[in-house]
Amino acid sequence: MLDSLFEFIEASPSPYHAAAAAVERLVATGLVETGRSDSWSELDAAQGFVARDGGTVVAARATESVDPDRLRFSVIGAHTDSPNLRIRPLPDSGALGYRQLGVEIYGGVLLNSWLDRDLGLSGRVTVASGAGDGPRTVLWRCDRALLRVPQLAIHLDRDANDGLKLDRQQHMTPVWGLGGLSADGFREFLAEELAVEPDAVLAWDVMAHDLTPPARLGRDGEMYAAARIDSLASCHAAVEALAGLKALPDDAAAVIVLFDHEEIGSDSATGAGSPILADALERIGAALGASREQYLRAVARSLCVSADGAHAVHPNYPERHEPQHLPLLNGGPVIKTNVNVRYATDARTHARFVAACDAADVPYQIYSHRGDLPCGSTIGPITASRLGMGVVDVGSPQLSMHSARELGGCEDPAMLTAALGAFLAEG
Ligand code: ZN
């Protein structure tokens, strides 16, 4: 399981790559690839299907003979994006003999964690095609050490260890060469990489990634360190749960949705704030013979498990945690609760996830945020309010959330996958 997660993380330096890797894994287990703009009415629900749009994926499997009057959806949601540094549209800059690339900060980056790392680049690039054809968008990655945000030497900042201050505009611009600004810039580099003319490079969504591969960590190797554990570990568990589903329930459609743009609030065409999930569920219902009335009744019976990283207790900062709610690495999935609905869990949905953990024979833990710290959020409350569906927020415990390199427990990926699998199998 851990090797499979490591492969998934390595295949997914950008949300577009994560979505493509999820599709590839699901297609390899028999699901059919389709698109949001294709017809879903003739698809074989028992075989299952998967649609990708940018960094977002929806996949479903259901028994064809499901009674539309009893239909419900068992949904697992997660997110493909992670906080990082993204290349600006006009990135070329240089001063004092350096070549630099302008970046914009995506999401709640722990800025210090990006200092002094060897960074590659990845994302998608839209290029002009030949005469008569429209532009095409291609996935691209480069795993050479291209960029670095060099930290200031301590001799030039004697206060660095008393609270490092990093300005998002001034201090995070990576170097990527010497010689100062030249005419041969980022567009020319991309053109060379993609074997097209520079004029054919129309636009890009490109971001930096740490080149250090995932690794086991610790005296006995019981932890693992990797980039983007939040929330590729959740995406991986969702994909594995759906791919591994042996028997389909006779009244529930099993659905997973992996959204882009969670880290910036989910309001986008492919984020959890979009109609993507509601539309997909209605179309899946229609493919199973449900009317609009039957679809709306199905939603009222449905449950979404929103899977996202959870905060394990930090041994050096115990005072940052609510003393009765201290999740441990390798302690099993965490159920996240917040009465102000920063997490969407309520008593009913909480109990249903506990039943899934019991069915999978995995332990679970419970998280509640300190009262004197603002609580983060997930796609859970957004999904609940967009669809009027019950949601439970869960996730594997981890440390260093939003760092360029995070830390998890080696046992947790298999336990989360098993719990999600039991949820899909039994609802
Ligand atoms: Zn997350």
Side-chain angles (χ1 to χ4, degrees):
M1 180 58 66
L2 202 62
D3 288 343
S4 166
L5 173 60
F6 284 6
E7 274 173 35
F8 184 71
I9 289 173
E10 289 230 78
S12 308
S14 79
Y16 320 114
H17 288 83
V23 170
E24 189 181 351
R25 173 80 181 96
L26 291 169
V27 167
T29 58
L31 277 73
V32 172
E33 185 170 6
T34 183
R36 280 181 72 202
S37 58
D38 296 332
S39 169
W40 292 8
S41 55
E42 301 302 319
L43 290 167
D44 181 346
Q47 184 177 15
F49 55 92
V50 54
R52 174 170 89 87
D53 185 349
T56 291
V57 171
V58 180
R61 290 175 65 191
T63 307
E64 287 279 5
S65 58
V66 63
D67 175 0
D69 274 324
R70 292 173 57 223
L71 175 66
R72 61 197 169 87
F73 301 104
S74 297
V75 182
I76 301 170
H79 68 89
T80 57
D81 61 322
S82 301
N84 58 17
L85 312 181
R86 301 204 171 186
I87 304 299
R88 290 184 184 275
L90 302 173
D92 295 301
S93 66
L96 305 167
Y98 292 96
R99 303 178 76 180
Q100 292 181 276
L101 285 183
V103 293
E104 210 170 351
I105 311 293
Y106 177 87
V109 171
L110 269 176
L111 295 175
N112 64 301
S113 71
W114 286 82
L115 302 176
D116 293 344
R117 288 184 185 273
D118 301 344
L119 304 172
L121 288 172
S122 75
R124 63 183 179 188
V125 185
T126 300
V127 295
S129 300
D133 297 329
R136 62 195 167 89
T137 299
V138 294
L139 290 183
W140 167 79
R141 68 185 291 171
C142 179
D143 292 317
R144 278 202 290 131
L146 292 168
L147 308 181
R148 182 166 170 124
V149 186
Q151 184 160 7
L152 190 60
I154 194 156
H155 316 83
L156 305 178
D157 181 9
R158 292 290 184 186
D159 299 329
N161 290 328
D162 300 326
L164 182 63
K165 288 261 191 308
L166 293 167
D167 182 276
R168 295 158 71 91
Q169 173 67 22
Q170 194 185 344
H171 296 147
M172 297 307 293
T173 308
V175 296
W176 84 311
L178 297 173
L181 186 60
S182 76
D184 191 20
F186 186 63
R187 185 181 301 274
E188 286 72 19
F189 170 74
L190 275 184
E192 206 174 294
E193 283 281 311
L194 297 168
V196 299
E197 292 300 315
D199 286 350
V201 176
L202 302 177
W204 52 79
D205 298 312
V206 165
M207 59 206 75
H209 61 275
D210 181 19
L211 291 171
T212 318
R216 281 183 176 261
L217 188 139
R219 178 190 178 282
D220 297 319
E222 64 273 69
M223 296 174 283
Y224 73 99
R228 305 178 295 282
I229 292 174
D230 172 19
S231 201
L232 293 182
S234 308
C235 292
H236 179 262
V239 167
E240 291 298 310
L242 186 68
L245 198 57
K246 298 220 163 45
L248 291 162
D250 62 3
D251 59 351
V255 179
I256 69 169
V257 57
L258 314 179
F259 286 115
D260 199 355
H261 297 142
E262 189 274 345
E263 299 291 359
I264 52 161
S266 297
D267 279 332
S268 76
T270 51
S274 76
I276 278 193
L277 179 58
D279 290 353
L281 294 184
E282 184 163 0
R283 295 174 70 188
I284 293 162
L288 294 167
S291 66
R292 170 91 182 155
E293 160 79 0
Q294 286 167 322
Y295 158 70
L296 294 172
R297 289 168 59 202
V299 167
R301 280 190 283 265
S302 297
L303 178 65
C304 173
V305 176
S306 159
D308 203 344
H311 297 295
V313 62
H314 195 303
N316 300 346
Y317 299 88
E319 75 284 0
R320 298 298 173 119
H321 298 267
E322 210 296 310
Q324 305 305 319
H325 302 86
L326 303 170
L328 299 170
L329 298 180
N330 289 341
V334 179
I335 300 171
K336 300 183 268 183
T337 70
N338 181 268
V339 294
N340 296 306
V341 196
R342 302 291 289 162
Y343 304 128
T345 309
D346 65 22
R348 297 177 304 174
T349 63
H350 180 136
R352 286 179 68 179
F353 190 73
V354 168
C357 290
D358 288 347
D361 200 21
V362 300
Y364 62 89
Q365 314 182 77
I366 297 174
Y367 183 77
S368 177
H369 207 65
R370 277 189 75 86
D372 51 5
L373 282 175
C375 185
S377 192
T378 69
I379 60 158
I382 298 168
T383 303
S385 54
R386 288 288 182 285
L387 283 100
M389 181 183 284
V391 174
V392 55
D393 268 297
V394 309
S396 288
Q398 64 165 103
L399 294 177
S400 311
M401 192 181 285
H402 290 196
S403 168
R405 194 165 174 83
E406 303 176 331
L407 189 66
C410 293
E411 309 294 325
D412 286 308
M415 288 193 277
L416 179 62
T417 303
L420 296 179
F423 163 66
L424 289 184
E426 301 181 21

